[in-house]
PDB file of all heavy atoms in Angstrom:
ATOM      1  N   TYR A   1      15.356  -3.970   2.566  1.00  0.00           N
ATOM      2  CA  TYR A   1      16.804  -4.052   2.799  1.00  0.00           C
ATOM      3  C   TYR A   1      17.310  -2.777   3.458  1.00  0.00           C
ATOM      4  O   TYR A   1      17.967  -2.800   4.506  1.00  0.00           O
ATOM      5  CB  TYR A   1      17.510  -4.313   1.469  1.00  0.00           C
ATOM      6  CG  TYR A   1      19.004  -4.080   1.480  1.00  0.00           C
ATOM      7  CD1 TYR A   1      19.870  -5.043   1.987  1.00  0.00           C
ATOM      8  CD2 TYR A   1      19.543  -2.900   0.958  1.00  0.00           C
ATOM      9  CE1 TYR A   1      21.244  -4.831   1.988  1.00  0.00           C
ATOM     10  CE2 TYR A   1      20.906  -2.688   0.948  1.00  0.00           C
ATOM     11  CZ  TYR A   1      21.757  -3.649   1.468  1.00  0.00           C
ATOM     12  OH  TYR A   1      23.113  -3.431   1.464  1.00  0.00           O
ATOM     13  N   HIS A   2      17.002  -1.631   2.865  1.00  0.00           N
ATOM     14  CA  HIS A   2      17.434  -0.364   3.449  1.00  0.00           C
ATOM     15  C   HIS A   2      16.802  -0.151   4.827  1.00  0.00           C
ATOM     16  O   HIS A   2      17.470   0.318   5.758  1.00  0.00           O
ATOM     17  CB  HIS A   2      17.052   0.794   2.523  1.00  0.00           C
ATOM     18  CG  HIS A   2      17.773   0.792   1.223  1.00  0.00           C
ATOM     19  ND1 HIS A   2      19.143   0.800   1.124  1.00  0.00           N
ATOM     20  CD2 HIS A   2      17.305   0.788  -0.062  1.00  0.00           C
ATOM     21  CE1 HIS A   2      19.497   0.806  -0.150  1.00  0.00           C
ATOM     22  NE2 HIS A   2      18.402   0.794  -0.882  1.00  0.00           N
ATOM     23  N   CYS A   3      15.532  -0.486   4.941  1.00  0.00           N
ATOM     24  CA  CYS A   3      14.821  -0.267   6.199  1.00  0.00           C
ATOM     25  C   CYS A   3      15.417  -1.096   7.325  1.00  0.00           C
ATOM     26  O   CYS A   3      15.563  -0.618   8.454  1.00  0.00           O
ATOM     27  CB  CYS A   3      13.346  -0.591   6.010  1.00  0.00           C
ATOM     28  SG  CYS A   3      12.308  -0.197   7.434  1.00  0.00           S
ATOM     29  N   GLN A   4      15.774  -2.335   7.035  1.00  0.00           N
ATOM     30  CA  GLN A   4      16.365  -3.185   8.063  1.00  0.00           C
ATOM     31  C   GLN A   4      17.691  -2.624   8.553  1.00  0.00           C
ATOM     32  O   GLN A   4      17.975  -2.617   9.756  1.00  0.00           O
ATOM     33  CB  GLN A   4      16.564  -4.606   7.526  1.00  0.00           C
ATOM     34  CG  GLN A   4      17.354  -5.541   8.434  1.00  0.00           C
ATOM     35  CD  GLN A   4      16.628  -5.904   9.720  1.00  0.00           C
ATOM     36  OE1 GLN A   4      15.451  -5.577   9.898  1.00  0.00           O
ATOM     37  NE2 GLN A   4      17.319  -6.576  10.618  1.00  0.00           N
ATOM     38  N   ILE A   5      18.520  -2.120   7.648  1.00  0.00           N
ATOM     39  CA  ILE A   5      19.836  -1.600   8.026  1.00  0.00           C
ATOM     40  C   ILE A   5      19.695  -0.345   8.888  1.00  0.00           C
ATOM     41  O   ILE A   5      20.415  -0.174   9.878  1.00  0.00           O
ATOM     42  CB  ILE A   5      20.679  -1.323   6.766  1.00  0.00           C
ATOM     43  CG1 ILE A   5      21.039  -2.656   6.095  1.00  0.00           C
ATOM     44  CG2 ILE A   5      21.942  -0.539   7.104  1.00  0.00           C
ATOM     45  CD1 ILE A   5      21.684  -2.514   4.734  1.00  0.00           C
ATOM     46  N   VAL A   6      18.767   0.526   8.546  1.00  0.00           N
ATOM     47  CA  VAL A   6      18.630   1.794   9.260  1.00  0.00           C
ATOM     48  C   VAL A   6      17.781   1.654  10.512  1.00  0.00           C
ATOM     49  O   VAL A   6      18.099   2.223  11.559  1.00  0.00           O
ATOM     50  CB  VAL A   6      18.024   2.867   8.334  1.00  0.00           C
ATOM     51  CG1 VAL A   6      17.773   4.178   9.095  1.00  0.00           C
ATOM     52  CG2 VAL A   6      18.951   3.127   7.149  1.00  0.00           C
ATOM     53  N   GLU A   7      16.679   0.888  10.434  1.00  0.00           N
ATOM     54  CA  GLU A   7      15.677   0.916  11.487  1.00  0.00           C
ATOM     55  C   GLU A   7      15.296  -0.446  12.054  1.00  0.00           C
ATOM     56  O   GLU A   7      15.021  -0.559  13.246  1.00  0.00           O
ATOM     57  CB  GLU A   7      14.397   1.577  10.956  1.00  0.00           C
ATOM     58  CG  GLU A   7      14.613   2.935  10.335  1.00  0.00           C
ATOM     59  CD  GLU A   7      13.345   3.463   9.694  1.00  0.00           C
ATOM     60  OE1 GLU A   7      12.329   3.588  10.406  1.00  0.00           O
ATOM     61  OE2 GLU A   7      13.365   3.741   8.481  1.00  0.00           O
ATOM     62  N   GLY A   8      15.187  -1.471  11.198  1.00  0.00           N
ATOM     63  CA  GLY A   8      14.670  -2.747  11.656  1.00  0.00           C
ATOM     64  C   GLY A   8      13.173  -2.687  11.921  1.00  0.00           C
ATOM     65  O   GLY A   8      12.478  -1.804  11.433  1.00  0.00           O
ATOM     66  N   ASP A   9      12.670  -3.656  12.701  1.00  0.00           N
ATOM     67  CA  ASP A   9      11.256  -3.700  13.082  1.00  0.00           C
ATOM     68  C   ASP A   9      10.369  -3.725  11.844  1.00  0.00           C
ATOM     69  O   ASP A   9       9.359  -3.026  11.755  1.00  0.00           O
ATOM     70  CB  ASP A   9      10.929  -2.501  13.977  1.00  0.00           C
ATOM     71  CG  ASP A   9       9.697  -2.725  14.844  1.00  0.00           C
ATOM     72  OD1 ASP A   9       9.329  -3.897  15.068  1.00  0.00           O
ATOM     73  OD2 ASP A   9       9.100  -1.722  15.279  1.00  0.00           O
ATOM     74  N   LEU A  10      10.733  -4.568  10.862  1.00  0.00           N
ATOM     75  CA  LEU A  10      10.099  -4.514   9.552  1.00  0.00           C
ATOM     76  C   LEU A  10       8.621  -4.862   9.598  1.00  0.00           C
ATOM     77  O   LEU A  10       7.798  -4.192   8.955  1.00  0.00           O
ATOM     78  CB  LEU A  10      10.821  -5.460   8.588  1.00  0.00           C
ATOM     79  CG  LEU A  10      12.294  -5.149   8.310  1.00  0.00           C
ATOM     80  CD1 LEU A  10      12.873  -6.179   7.346  1.00  0.00           C
ATOM     81  CD2 LEU A  10      12.450  -3.746   7.752  1.00  0.00           C
ATOM     82  N   ALA A  11       8.268  -5.908  10.327  1.00  0.00           N
ATOM     83  CA  ALA A  11       6.872  -6.331  10.335  1.00  0.00           C
ATOM     84  C   ALA A  11       5.971  -5.235  10.882  1.00  0.00           C
ATOM     85  O   ALA A  11       4.887  -4.964  10.341  1.00  0.00           O
ATOM     86  CB  ALA A  11       6.719  -7.616  11.140  1.00  0.00           C
ATOM     87  N   MET A  12       6.401  -4.604  11.956  1.00  0.00           N
ATOM     88  CA  MET A  12       5.569  -3.558  12.542  1.00  0.00           C
ATOM     89  C   MET A  12       5.489  -2.333  11.631  1.00  0.00           C
ATOM     90  O   MET A  12       4.458  -1.658  11.579  1.00  0.00           O
ATOM     91  CB  MET A  12       6.094  -3.172  13.922  1.00  0.00           C
ATOM     92  CG  MET A  12       6.026  -4.306  14.936  1.00  0.00           C
ATOM     93  SD  MET A  12       4.376  -5.066  15.046  1.00  0.00           S
ATOM     94  CE  MET A  12       3.416  -3.696  15.700  1.00  0.00           C
ATOM     95  N   LYS A  13       6.561  -2.056  10.895  1.00  0.00           N
ATOM     96  CA  LYS A  13       6.493  -0.931   9.957  1.00  0.00           C
ATOM     97  C   LYS A  13       5.552  -1.247   8.794  1.00  0.00           C
ATOM     98  O   LYS A  13       4.820  -0.364   8.326  1.00  0.00           O
ATOM     99  CB  LYS A  13       7.891  -0.572   9.477  1.00  0.00           C
ATOM    100  CG  LYS A  13       8.687   0.175  10.554  1.00  0.00           C
ATOM    101  CD  LYS A  13      10.024   0.637  10.074  1.00  0.00           C
ATOM    102  CE  LYS A  13      10.649   1.560  11.131  1.00  0.00           C
ATOM    103  NZ  LYS A  13      10.799   0.902  12.444  1.00  0.00           N
ATOM    104  N   LEU A  14       5.569  -2.485   8.326  1.00  0.00           N
ATOM    105  CA  LEU A  14       4.606  -2.864   7.298  1.00  0.00           C
ATOM    106  C   LEU A  14       3.183  -2.738   7.822  1.00  0.00           C
ATOM    107  O   LEU A  14       2.289  -2.222   7.129  1.00  0.00           O
ATOM    108  CB  LEU A  14       4.875  -4.291   6.817  1.00  0.00           C
ATOM    109  CG  LEU A  14       6.124  -4.483   5.963  1.00  0.00           C
ATOM    110  CD1 LEU A  14       6.399  -5.966   5.747  1.00  0.00           C
ATOM    111  CD2 LEU A  14       5.988  -3.770   4.614  1.00  0.00           C
ATOM    112  N   ARG A  15       2.956  -3.199   9.034  1.00  0.00           N
ATOM    113  CA  ARG A  15       1.611  -3.093   9.617  1.00  0.00           C
ATOM    114  C   ARG A  15       1.198  -1.632   9.798  1.00  0.00           C
ATOM    115  O   ARG A  15       0.023  -1.287   9.671  1.00  0.00           O
ATOM    116  CB  ARG A  15       1.563  -3.815  10.964  1.00  0.00           C
ATOM    117  CG  ARG A  15       1.660  -5.333  10.858  1.00  0.00           C
ATOM    118  CD  ARG A  15       1.455  -5.999  12.208  1.00  0.00           C
ATOM    119  NE  ARG A  15       1.623  -7.442  12.124  1.00  0.00           N
ATOM    120  CZ  ARG A  15       0.681  -8.285  11.719  1.00  0.00           C
ATOM    121  NH1 ARG A  15      -0.512  -7.805  11.362  1.00  0.00           N
ATOM    122  NH2 ARG A  15       0.902  -9.581  11.684  1.00  0.00           N
ATOM    123  N   ARG A  16       2.150  -0.788  10.074  1.00  0.00           N
ATOM    124  CA  ARG A  16       1.838   0.628  10.275  1.00  0.00           C
ATOM    125  C   ARG A  16       1.545   1.353   8.974  1.00  0.00           C
ATOM    126  O   ARG A  16       0.581   2.122   8.868  1.00  0.00           O
ATOM    127  CB  ARG A  16       2.989   1.322  11.002  1.00  0.00           C
ATOM    128  CG  ARG A  16       2.784   2.823  11.172  1.00  0.00           C
ATOM    129  CD  ARG A  16       3.933   3.471  11.921  1.00  0.00           C
ATOM    130  NE  ARG A  16       3.729   4.911  12.056  1.00  0.00           N
ATOM    131  CZ  ARG A  16       4.599   5.741  12.622  1.00  0.00           C
ATOM    132  NH1 ARG A  16       5.745   5.267  13.122  1.00  0.00           N
ATOM    133  NH2 ARG A  16       4.340   7.032  12.698  1.00  0.00           N
ATOM    134  N   TYR A  17       2.380   1.123   7.952  1.00  0.00           N
ATOM    135  CA  TYR A  17       2.331   1.981   6.777  1.00  0.00           C
ATOM    136  C   TYR A  17       1.489   1.438   5.624  1.00  0.00           C
ATOM    137  O   TYR A  17       0.926   2.229   4.856  1.00  0.00           O
ATOM    138  CB  TYR A  17       3.743   2.273   6.293  1.00  0.00           C
ATOM    139  CG  TYR A  17       4.534   3.140   7.237  1.00  0.00           C
ATOM    140  CD1 TYR A  17       5.741   2.704   7.801  1.00  0.00           C
ATOM    141  CD2 TYR A  17       4.079   4.403   7.598  1.00  0.00           C
ATOM    142  CE1 TYR A  17       6.462   3.503   8.674  1.00  0.00           C
ATOM    143  CE2 TYR A  17       4.795   5.208   8.471  1.00  0.00           C
ATOM    144  CZ  TYR A  17       5.987   4.751   9.007  1.00  0.00           C
ATOM    145  OH  TYR A  17       6.698   5.552   9.871  1.00  0.00           O
ATOM    146  N   LEU A  18       1.390   0.124   5.450  1.00  0.00           N
ATOM    147  CA  LEU A  18       0.655  -0.380   4.299  1.00  0.00           C
ATOM    148  C   LEU A  18      -0.830  -0.030   4.329  1.00  0.00           C
ATOM    149  O   LEU A  18      -1.388   0.354   3.296  1.00  0.00           O
ATOM    150  CB  LEU A  18       0.850  -1.897   4.162  1.00  0.00           C
ATOM    151  CG  LEU A  18       1.787  -2.284   3.012  1.00  0.00           C
ATOM    152  CD1 LEU A  18       3.212  -1.843   3.317  1.00  0.00           C
ATOM    153  CD2 LEU A  18       1.743  -3.780   2.771  1.00  0.00           C
ATOM    154  N   PRO A  19      -1.499  -0.133   5.472  1.00  0.00           N
ATOM    155  CA  PRO A  19      -2.941   0.160   5.445  1.00  0.00           C
ATOM    156  C   PRO A  19      -3.271   1.596   5.066  1.00  0.00           C
ATOM    157  O   PRO A  19      -4.387   1.875   4.617  1.00  0.00           O
ATOM    158  CB  PRO A  19      -3.379  -0.153   6.893  1.00  0.00           C
ATOM    159  CG  PRO A  19      -2.392  -1.166   7.376  1.00  0.00           C
ATOM    160  CD  PRO A  19      -1.095  -0.722   6.769  1.00  0.00           C
ATOM    161  N   GLY A  20      -2.342   2.517   5.204  1.00  0.00           N
ATOM    162  CA  GLY A  20      -2.605   3.906   4.847  1.00  0.00           C
ATOM    163  C   GLY A  20      -2.626   4.178   3.360  1.00  0.00           C
ATOM    164  O   GLY A  20      -3.032   5.263   2.930  1.00  0.00           O
ATOM    165  N   GLY A  21      -2.147   3.231   2.563  1.00  0.00           N
ATOM    166  CA  GLY A  21      -2.177   3.385   1.117  1.00  0.00           C
ATOM    167  C   GLY A  21      -1.056   4.227   0.533  1.00  0.00           C
ATOM    168  O   GLY A  21      -1.076   4.527  -0.661  1.00  0.00           O
ATOM    169  N   ASN A  22      -0.083   4.598   1.360  1.00  0.00           N
ATOM    170  CA  ASN A  22       0.990   5.461   0.869  1.00  0.00           C
ATOM    171  C   ASN A  22       2.272   4.717   0.524  1.00  0.00           C
ATOM    172  O   ASN A  22       3.290   5.353   0.256  1.00  0.00           O
ATOM    173  CB  ASN A  22       1.290   6.555   1.894  1.00  0.00           C
ATOM    174  CG  ASN A  22       0.218   7.629   1.918  1.00  0.00           C
ATOM    175  OD1 ASN A  22      -0.460   7.851   0.925  1.00  0.00           O
ATOM    176  ND2 ASN A  22       0.056   8.280   3.060  1.00  0.00           N
ATOM    177  N   VAL A  23       2.255   3.385   0.543  1.00  0.00           N
ATOM    178  CA  VAL A  23       3.389   2.587   0.067  1.00  0.00           C
ATOM    179  C   VAL A  23       3.077   2.167  -1.365  1.00  0.00           C
ATOM    180  O   VAL A  23       2.131   1.420  -1.615  1.00  0.00           O
ATOM    181  CB  VAL A  23       3.641   1.362   0.955  1.00  0.00           C
ATOM    182  CG1 VAL A  23       4.733   0.474   0.350  1.00  0.00           C
ATOM    183  CG2 VAL A  23       4.040   1.797   2.363  1.00  0.00           C
ATOM    184  N   GLY A  24       3.869   2.647  -2.300  1.00  0.00           N
ATOM    185  CA  GLY A  24       3.602   2.377  -3.700  1.00  0.00           C
ATOM    186  C   GLY A  24       4.371   1.211  -4.283  1.00  0.00           C
ATOM    187  O   GLY A  24       4.009   0.707  -5.356  1.00  0.00           O
ATOM    188  N   HIS A  25       5.434   0.774  -3.610  1.00  0.00           N
ATOM    189  CA  HIS A  25       6.258  -0.316  -4.141  1.00  0.00           C
ATOM    190  C   HIS A  25       7.126  -0.835  -3.007  1.00  0.00           C
ATOM    191  O   HIS A  25       7.503  -0.072  -2.107  1.00  0.00           O
ATOM    192  CB  HIS A  25       7.138   0.191  -5.285  1.00  0.00           C
ATOM    193  CG  HIS A  25       7.849  -0.879  -6.060  1.00  0.00           C
ATOM    194  ND1 HIS A  25       7.191  -1.867  -6.755  1.00  0.00           N
ATOM    195  CD2 HIS A  25       9.174  -1.118  -6.260  1.00  0.00           C
ATOM    196  CE1 HIS A  25       8.077  -2.651  -7.352  1.00  0.00           C
ATOM    197  NE2 HIS A  25       9.283  -2.213  -7.062  1.00  0.00           N
ATOM    198  N   ILE A  26       7.432  -2.129  -3.058  1.00  0.00           N
ATOM    199  CA  ILE A  26       8.282  -2.769  -2.056  1.00  0.00           C
ATOM    200  C   ILE A  26       9.439  -3.448  -2.770  1.00  0.00           C
ATOM    201  O   ILE A  26       9.280  -3.992  -3.872  1.00  0.00           O
ATOM    202  CB  ILE A  26       7.470  -3.772  -1.213  1.00  0.00           C
ATOM    203  CG1 ILE A  26       6.526  -3.018  -0.273  1.00  0.00           C
ATOM    204  CG2 ILE A  26       8.384  -4.703  -0.408  1.00  0.00           C
ATOM    205  CD1 ILE A  26       5.584  -3.891   0.499  1.00  0.00           C
ATOM    206  N   GLN A  27      10.617  -3.394  -2.154  1.00  0.00           N
ATOM    207  CA  GLN A  27      11.788  -4.092  -2.679  1.00  0.00           C
ATOM    208  C   GLN A  27      12.440  -4.907  -1.570  1.00  0.00           C
ATOM    209  O   GLN A  27      12.247  -4.632  -0.376  1.00  0.00           O
ATOM    210  CB  GLN A  27      12.798  -3.092  -3.253  1.00  0.00           C
ATOM    211  CG  GLN A  27      12.295  -2.390  -4.512  1.00  0.00           C
ATOM    212  CD  GLN A  27      13.253  -1.340  -5.018  1.00  0.00           C
ATOM    213  OE1 GLN A  27      13.821  -0.567  -4.254  1.00  0.00           O
ATOM    214  NE2 GLN A  27      13.434  -1.283  -6.331  1.00  0.00           N
ATOM    215  N   ILE A  28      13.227  -5.905  -1.970  1.00  0.00           N
ATOM    216  CA  ILE A  28      13.850  -6.822  -1.018  1.00  0.00           C
ATOM    217  C   ILE A  28      15.281  -7.135  -1.427  1.00  0.00           C
ATOM    218  O   ILE A  28      15.667  -7.010  -2.591  1.00  0.00           O
ATOM    219  CB  ILE A  28      13.072  -8.151  -0.907  1.00  0.00           C
ATOM    220  CG1 ILE A  28      12.959  -8.829  -2.289  1.00  0.00           C
ATOM    221  CG2 ILE A  28      11.701  -7.924  -0.268  1.00  0.00           C
ATOM    222  CD1 ILE A  28      12.472 -10.260  -2.248  1.00  0.00           C
ATOM    223  N   ALA A  29      16.052  -7.575  -0.440  1.00  0.00           N
ATOM    224  CA  ALA A  29      17.373  -8.183  -0.624  1.00  0.00           C
ATOM    225  C   ALA A  29      17.792  -8.742   0.724  1.00  0.00           C
ATOM    226  O   ALA A  29      17.338  -8.274   1.775  1.00  0.00           O
ATOM    227  CB  ALA A  29      18.401  -7.163  -1.119  1.00  0.00           C
TER     228      ALA A  29
END
């Protein structure tokens, strides 16, 4: 939710950051 408001491009950010192992939790709205 916060990411979409500030930056967007959610799918590509997930593809970028999740494989690195540094995302500890995800939230939605």
Side-chain angles (χ1 to χ4, degrees):
Y1 165 81
H2 294 304
C3 186
Q4 172 68 8
I5 291 171
V6 176
E7 307 174 58
D9 202 21
L10 298 180
M12 296 308 295
K13 285 185 171 58
L14 288 171
R15 290 186 183 278
R16 176 179 179 183
Y17 292 121
L18 254 68
N22 286 334
V23 174
H25 190 61
I26 288 174
Q27 292 176 318
I28 57 168

